[in-house]
Structures are given as structure tokens and as C-alpha cells.
Amino acid sequence: MKRKVLIIYTGGTIGMEKDYSTGSLFPFNFENIFSKIPELKLLDCIVEVESFADPLDSSDMGPEEWRKIALIIEKKYDDFDGFLILHGTDTMAYTASALSFMLKGLRKPVILSGSQLPIGDLRTDAKENLLTSLYYASLYENEEAVIQEVAIYFEYKLLRGNRSIKFSAEYFDAYQSPNFPPLGQSGVHLNVTKEALYRAPKEEKFSVDIYFSEGIVFWRIFPGMDFSMLKEMPSLRVLILQVFGSGTIFSDPQILETLLEIRSKGVEIVVVSQCFSGSISIGKYENSNVFKKISAISGKDITPESAITKAMHLYQNPRYSKDFAKEFSANLRGEMSE
């Protein structure tokens, strides 16, 4: 039985080709992808394409586009065995993280991929990324999808989407998952690390939740910064502070005063690390105890992209309890360690 995979083309470098007379990149009609990559016809799966009417640079992707992708998957969920989302690289980790929270009870593969070079470039990475993503998106064993979560495939590695970060704008190996092992790697054989795979609770049926709130602010601290400006954000609802190391901040009585004032307005404060790998450990050092005093939420080893989209999805979402701290601290889709 041939599996059916829907390619959802949103835009990005992978859908570009170069005008060699000018050196400029321009988008081609992605419906013609089979003529660009005839190898697609050799795959043991049926591939269909649905494109955004106006393909977008990934810097233009946000909640509205995340909702659009999720609703396409919801509409086509029963008709396809897997989904491949082709996306620009700059915000792919945000989209993957957002989708992981939106697609509840997922039992089929949703793979995101793209490329650093256009598909028509002589040295392109697009063909390998596209072809192997389709393999993973159509991989079934005993009538069950092997991958049942949102993942990113890039340069021979399959990574959990909400654990991924874009690490390089220069190299083909653009993505890393610092705090979680790869779900799979492709070489001569297509490998999957089955013990690393996420499985939704058995009682959870597939559904799509397109809720996202506003008022989420991500703030990277730096030595000498002025914290008082945080008081001047009237629409602030959740403040995600990216702090030093395992959870430290400079010792200044005004910091505690400012953060307590912000908390008194009902603002939730989440603490994440500026380090690529490792975890927040409030209380490990004296300069982290301020976060205990303000009842801040530890982001543990979550990525910034996942923390932002998770907060946007959870805050005042009627499908969750009103206890934001409890919900954010829970490992909902494999995005953080227990």
C-alpha cells in the first residue's frame, strides 16, 4: 500500500531558483516540483502539493500562518498519511514549536524542512532534504506511523521540532537540538531512535487548537541594562527573561523591586537560559534566588522558540486550566525535560 504525503509549500529558499544573468533569486511554481526533481517519481509514496497562494519569506511567518498550516492539516488529516511543510529556515523552529502545541493527539508525521540554497543551484541541499523528509513523512510499520510528532529534517538529521534551534546561517548543517538527541539520522540506511520518539496520550484524540494570545515579551538581559523600562509596557502579560547560565541575574535591589512591581500587575515571569545547552536551576547560585522571591517559572531546558510559542498558546487559552505556571511547567509535547 502506497502512503500519501501532502507537501504544504509556504515559501523560503527551497522554492527559489536563480536567474544566472542577474544573480537574483525568484520563486518558481511549486506545483512543477516534479519536473525539478524527477526522483520524486521513484518514491514509494503518492505525493500531492498544496501551496500558499503567496509564498512567504520565513520572517513573515507568524500566528496567522501557523493557524493556516494547522487548519490545512486538520482538513486533510484523514486523506493523507503524512505531511511535509516546506518553509524558510529563519523561523522554522518557531513554526515547528507552535504546531507541536496546536496539533493535539497527533498520530501522523508532520515534518518541516527547507534548504540553505535554492533547489536549482548546482550545490543545493534542497533535493536531499526534500527527498529524505518525504521518506520520514511516509514511514510506517505495522500500519502505524513511526513518527507521530512535529519534527524538523535538515542535513541528514531528524530533530524534534520544539527542541530545535537554527544554529547556522552559513552551513548546510543549520539546525541543532542541544538538549535532546536526534529522532533519526539518514545515511546508507534511514535510522530512527525509537526510544526518543514522542507519543501522545492514548486517550487524546486528534484535534487542532489555533489559539494564540498577545502580550508575550521575550527579553534577553545583558550587563548594565536598565530594567525600569519593563514597567512601561502596559500590554505585558507574560515576560520571558533570558538570563545568564543556569538562572542568574546581576544583584541589584532595584531588580527585585521592579520584578515584584511587574508581578503585582498579574504578569507571569518565565526564566530561560542564554546558553544553548543545559537547564535553569533556580537556587543553585545566590544570584538566582531573586526568581524564587517573585515566584518565577523555570523554563528548565526549553528553547527560546518553544518558550515563546508555548506561552502564546497557553496564556488564557480556554482549553487549559487558569493556572498558567502549572501548565507552562508541564512537559506537554516533549518540549522540556521532566
Side-chain angles (χ1 to χ4, degrees), residues 113-187:
S113 194
S115 65
Q116 295 284 63
L117 289 176
I119 209 161
D121 198 283
L122 183 62
R123 297 179 51 248
T124 187
D125 55 331
K127 289 186 178 181
E128 197 284 324
N129 286 347
L130 176 58
L131 291 169
T132 306
S133 293
L134 285 169
Y135 271 112
Y136 278 117
S138 60
L139 188 61
Y140 274 65
E141 289 182 358
N142 301 319
E143 298 302 310
E144 181 180 74
V146 174
I147 311 299
Q148 299 183 18
E149 59 181 288
V150 180
I152 288 176
Y153 179 80
F154 222 89
E155 189 64 9
Y156 307 114
K157 292 183 296 187
L158 184 72
L159 307 175
R160 174 161 298 157
N162 58 30
R163 289 281 197 159
S164 301
I165 59 170
K166 185 177 181 184
F167 186 78
S168 174
E170 171 69 16
Y171 298 110
F172 288 147
D173 189 11
Y175 284 86
Q176 291 190 10
S177 176
N179 291 313
F180 199 77
L183 304 181
Q185 293 191 334
S186 67

Side-chain angles (χ1 to χ4, degrees), residues 61-290:
M61 298 288 287
E64 283 306 310
E65 290 70 35
W66 303 338
R67 292 184 181 106
K68 185 175 179 178
I69 294 168
L71 291 173
I72 291 172
I73 293 172
E74 180 180 44
K75 182 180 178 181
K76 306 280 187 175
Y77 190 77
D78 292 333
D79 299 327
F80 289 88
D81 300 293
F83 300 87
L84 170 57
I85 302 162
L86 297 179
H87 194 290
T89 60
D90 287 343
T91 64
M92 190 187 297
Y94 287 93
T95 299
S97 296
L99 287 171
S100 75
F101 301 120
M102 298 169 79
L103 304 176
K104 305 181 190 310
L106 187 63
R107 299 284 187 269
K108 296 180 180 182
V110 175
I111 314 295
L112 287 87
S113 194
S115 65
Q116 295 284 63
L117 289 176
I119 209 161
D121 198 283
L122 183 62
R123 297 179 51 248
T124 187
D125 55 331
K127 289 186 178 181
E128 197 284 324
N129 286 347
L130 176 58
L131 291 169
T132 306
S133 293
L134 285 169
Y135 271 112
Y136 278 117
S138 60
L139 188 61
Y140 274 65
E141 289 182 358
N142 301 319
E143 298 302 310
E144 181 180 74
V146 174
I147 311 299
Q148 299 183 18
E149 59 181 288
V150 180
I152 288 176
Y153 179 80
F154 222 89
E155 189 64 9
Y156 307 114
K157 292 183 296 187
L158 184 72
L159 307 175
R160 174 161 298 157
N162 58 30
R163 289 281 197 159
S164 301
I165 59 170
K166 185 177 181 184
F167 186 78
S168 174
E170 171 69 16
Y171 298 110
F172 288 147
D173 189 11
Y175 284 86
Q176 291 190 10
S177 176
N179 291 313
F180 199 77
L183 304 181
Q185 293 191 334
S186 67
V188 175
H189 301 287
L190 200 66
N191 297 311
V192 176
T193 308
K194 292 189 176 180
E195 59 270 21
L197 297 176
Y198 175 79
R199 289 291 186 266
K202 291 182 178 179
E203 67 277 7
E204 189 174 36
K205 294 183 179 180
F206 175 72
S207 64
V208 173
D209 182 355
I210 61 173
Y211 179 91
F212 285 101
S213 63
E214 299 179 349
I216 313 301
V217 172
F218 184 87
W219 199 279
R220 181 183 175 98
I221 70 165
F222 56 88
M225 71 173 288
D226 179 8
F227 252 74
S228 63
M229 64 184 70
L230 289 172
K231 301 177 185 179
E232 301 169 10
M233 299 182 180
S235 61
L236 180 61
R237 298 293 177 265
V238 179
L239 173 63
I240 302 173
L241 282 178
Q242 192 180 39
V243 301
F244 306 130
S246 60
T248 60
I249 194 170
F250 24 88
S251 55
D252 181 342
Q254 290 186 343
I255 300 296
L256 176 59
E257 179 185 330
T258 299
L259 293 179
L260 283 172
E261 183 176 335
I262 292 170
R263 288 285 286 132
S264 71
K265 298 174 182 177
V267 175
E268 302 284 357
I269 297 179
V270 177
V271 181
V272 300
S273 178
Q274 294 181 9
C275 297
F276 283 124
S277 65
S279 182
I280 291 293
S281 181
I282 294 174
K284 182 177 182 181
Y285 295 100
E286 177 63 30
N287 278 28
S288 68
N289 285 330
V290 63

Side-chain angles (χ1 to χ4, degrees), residues 238 240 270 272 297-300 302 306-308 310-311 314 323-332 335-336:
V238 179
I240 302 173
V270 177
V272 300
I297 304 163
S298 170
K300 303 176 186 176
I302 198 170
S306 193
I308 291 166
K310 184 177 184 178
L314 288 180
D323 190 338
F324 177 86
K326 178 182 177 181
E327 297 289 0
F328 192 95
S329 298
N331 178 27
L332 300 179
E335 73 280 1
M336 58 169 59

